[in-house]
Amino acid sequence: MCRPVGARMRAPLPAAHAPPGPGRMRPGLNEYADVVVATDTATSVDRLCIDTIRTLSMDAVQKANSGHPGTPMALAPLAYVLYTRVMEHNPRDPDWPDRDRFVLSCGHASMLLYATLYLAGYDISLEEDIERFRQLGSRAAGHPEHGHAPGVEVTTGPLGQGISNAVGMALAERMLAARFNREGHEIVDHRTFVIASDGDLEEGISGEASSLAGHLGLGRLISFYDKNHISIEGDTQLAFTEDVGKRYEAYGWHVQDLEEEIEVDALEDALRTAIAVEDRPSLIIVRTHIAQGSPHKQDTAGAHGSPLGEEEIRLTKEAMGWPSQEPFFVPEEALAHFRGCVERGAEAEAEWKARFDAYAEAHPELAQELERVVEGRLPAGWDDEIPRFHASGTMTATRKSSNTVLQWAAAKVPELVGGSADLAPSTLTLIDGADSVEAGSYGGRNLHFGIREHAMGAVVNGLTLHYFRGYGSTFLVFSDYMRGSIRLAALMGLPSIFVYTHDSIGLGEDGPTHQPIEQLAGLRAVPRLAVIRPAGANETALAWRHAIASTDHPSALVLSRQGVPTWNPAAIPADAIERGAYVLRDSFKEPDPPDLILIATGTEVHICTRAADLLEADGVATRVVSMPCMEHFADQDADYRERVLPSSTRARVSVEAASTFGWHRWVGDLGETVGMHGFGASAPAGALYKHFGFTPERVVDVAKQTVERARS
């Protein structure tokens, strides 16, 4: 059952609902009450709170001599209404599971969020954070960073990402509700609110994500579109003249255009109207004025990415009737009124906890499961029996082995959900027996992102932020479309899972447009991203276990279309992925150091084992090292790296059907790389491997030359 519209809503805050915090004193409120500002229907305390957001934003950007003052000034009424009149949130418990989420997609307007969070009672310091905006150690960073400041739900800044993350968060809310809510117990019952700018809606990723949100009927997603007509180069008319409202209506969104009617009551009415629309996401268009109230910089690009200047700030404060020219002045009345969010939030959370207690009594197993998922704990013993594949000469693609492992993992970890960008028959990433997630039917586990790789990455991050273990899949070459989302997952330390198949020229006849060359090197350059290219079925099983168990970094699983043999699982250590590399096969000189080390990943490892047979038959003691995760191997202590790659063995050859960039660290100055130095070609995989030199015979030739060079 859905709750009645507005059932969780609270009346606007009273003027003095909580004790004042450490704000600075000011003259009496009556001196401010007669000042006319743009929010004409607001009470004097409403106007005071809104202008406090504006002045804090101006002052912080000015002191930092860096930032964006104009947009926070324009959006202050929106943030004020959201936090004090509409959203369910608790400043003293920012992680309350059933809170409403707020995403500032236009992250350059970060002072809007920091000022609002401080005033509402979150653990943000005026002196240590806001007055030190954009400085080292301040939680008020240049753009909102998840995990650094309480109340920041997601890292935003790259335009379009925030609203796309919000689609994933809103989808997760509906999926959780379908799993856990029961009649009379609406225990998952919250919304995701967004403020997006012209720039956000110009970026292609937001169009992809918004199209998906409309298709899925995500009625719990409500976004403002800040139509201020200003970008860095000037008026948006230079490059952006479409009717955004009609575009979003075509996406399937409910659209309201308030034009310039953005008084607090009008904003609240629009939000309540949007909340009443349960079967469609909502877009509320507002025509704002950047740097509102600034005598000389309102509606100019000069207020977008630069401080207003001390003189303009003085004039702006005079124009708004601000009672003090002191920087970072916070009126006591504004702080007291805003801090009413603390008591209101505590009441809302207490009411939810009472409902949860009743839910737990009626459905104890569901309640325990929901608590586990929210806390991010995996089921006890979920990985006690990892799939093991017996040795076989049968050539099996790692994407196929991955499908087998995925079914095992999905049975053990119910919160594992995901899909592909219209490539599931090729990436083999559907969960058997699970329903598809569709509009109005959110209880499934298989997601169909459509041909929207950009959005898929952001939506997976949103799902992962919202208690699920999300994964998305496509061909490795299309990981380029997802780079922004991958980077943000790594920056936030999210355990998102990105599954990439068709990992090399071995995909064959589709040719160089689809054959990845530089993608592995590019992904390996992303800090905190684990790029795992397993060499066979047993490494693939360990790769999935590692990705699911991760808590502080994303994983990219890179899988093949071409087949590889399956080695004896006893030869593959349980920590092969965590260690990053291991000795798969040692030389006949063992335990003495070998004459030569062959290092490879993925499908090229078996080429190295065949080359090792030939080399050892010629008397060259050859070690084969499988390196499924270069990043993890780099993180190992020097002693382990020395045991795997002894410094006394300087003859080393790496083999990977991709760019050789990054391999010289491991082969050394006397070593050699066998890789790609250009793009591929259209031909069957076997012909391509022979043409480009990925054969045991070519590896033998290169290896012998390397051994001779090392001996000279």
Side-chain angles (χ1 to χ4, degrees), residues 272-607:
R272 293 188 183 278
T273 297
I275 287 167
V277 180
E278 287 280 349
D279 62 346
R280 286 178 289 166
S282 288
L283 186 73
I284 303 171
I285 303 172
V286 289
R287 169 62 169 106
T288 65
H289 295 274
I290 198 167
Q292 181 168 319
S294 171
H296 302 109
K297 293 194 175 181
Q298 178 173 313
D299 291 329
T300 68
H304 178 66
S306 302
L308 295 182
E310 292 183 0
E311 177 62 14
E312 188 68 11
I313 289 176
R314 184 185 69 78
L315 293 173
T316 302
K317 289 179 178 179
E318 286 182 357
M320 67 171 56
W322 195 242
S324 173
Q325 287 291 337
E326 180 187 1
F328 304 103
F329 177 82
V330 178
E332 179 181 323
E333 292 91 335
L335 193 64
H337 181 72
F338 236 122
R339 290 286 164 91
C341 290
V342 173
E343 183 175 336
R344 172 177 171 267
E347 291 174 355
E349 183 173 358
E351 186 250 345
W352 179 82
K353 286 182 175 178
R355 290 192 288 117
F356 184 82
D357 289 342
Y359 173 74
E361 184 174 349
H363 304 283
E365 292 183 0
L366 282 174
Q368 291 175 10
E369 178 70 358
L370 178 57
E371 286 180 325
R372 181 190 66 76
V373 170
V374 167
E375 292 169 5
R377 292 183 287 109
L378 293 169
W382 74 276
D383 60 347
D384 286 347
E385 298 181 2
I386 302 171
R388 290 167 65 86
F389 299 85
H390 298 298
S392 170
T394 301
M395 304 295 277
T396 305
T398 53
R399 64 168 176 161
K400 186 173 181 181
S401 302
S402 169
N403 178 263
T404 300
V405 179
L406 174 60
Q407 308 316 316
W408 162 79
K412 299 288 187 177
V413 183
E415 60 269 33
L416 182 65
V417 299
S420 81
D422 195 51
L423 288 171
S426 293
T427 60
L428 304 179
T429 45
L430 290 179
I431 297 173
D432 293 346
D435 292 335
S436 295
V437 174
E438 300 177 6
S441 180
Y442 305 105
R445 302 177 67 179
N446 288 319
L447 300 171
H448 302 277
F449 295 102
I451 307 167
R452 303 183 180 99
E453 291 91 352
H454 301 73
M456 177 174 68
V459 171
V460 165
N461 288 343
L463 289 165
T464 304
L465 282 162
H466 213 302
Y467 312 133
F468 282 98
R469 301 308 311 270
Y471 67 86
S473 66
T474 185
F475 293 169
L476 178 58
V477 74
F478 300 131
S479 64
D480 291 342
Y481 289 175
M482 302 170 62
R483 283 299 295 270
S485 299
I486 295 168
R487 186 176 189 273
L488 284 173
L491 181 62
M492 288 186 276
L494 294 181
S496 300
I497 302 172
F498 305 109
V499 183
Y500 299 117
T501 67
H502 294 60
D503 66 351
S504 72
I505 58 170
L507 68 87
E509 293 86 345
D510 278 344
T513 61
H514 282 51
Q515 293 165 2
I517 300 299
E518 72 280 14
Q519 282 71 24
L520 277 171
L523 290 173
R524 287 169 177 156
V526 179
R528 300 175 71 183
L529 173 67
V531 183
I532 306 169
R533 188 173 183 237
N538 288 296
E539 281 190 14
T540 302
L542 294 173
W544 268 106
R545 184 191 67 172
H546 176 82
I548 293 170
S550 299
T551 60
D552 61 358
H553 67 266
S555 299
L557 307 186
V558 182
L559 308 169
S560 71
R561 181 191 185 195
Q562 64 274 22
V564 292
T566 300
W567 289 290
N568 186 340
I572 302 170
D575 60 356
I577 306 302
E578 287 75 18
R579 289 287 200 177
Y582 65 96
V583 178
L584 175 66
R585 164 181 166 162
D586 218 335
S587 76
F588 62 71
K589 279 188 176 181
E590 196 231 344
D592 294 331
D595 301 326
L596 167 75
I597 302 175
L598 301 178
I599 317 167
T601 74
T603 52
E604 286 73 74
V605 174
H606 85 278
I607 295 175

Side-chain angles (χ1 to χ4, degrees), residues 239-280:
F240 191 51
T241 54
E242 69 196 41
D243 189 325
V244 172
K246 288 183 178 178
R247 172 158 65 95
Y248 270 74
E249 286 178 350
Y251 287 152
W253 288 51
H254 175 261
V255 177
Q256 301 175 75
D257 191 344
L258 303 187
E259 298 181 344
E260 297 194 37
E261 298 297 320
I262 60 167
E263 294 83 2
V264 291
D265 290 342
L267 291 171
E268 183 178 1
D269 288 345
L271 283 163
R272 293 188 183 278
T273 297
I275 287 167
V277 180
E278 287 280 349
D279 62 346
R280 286 178 289 166

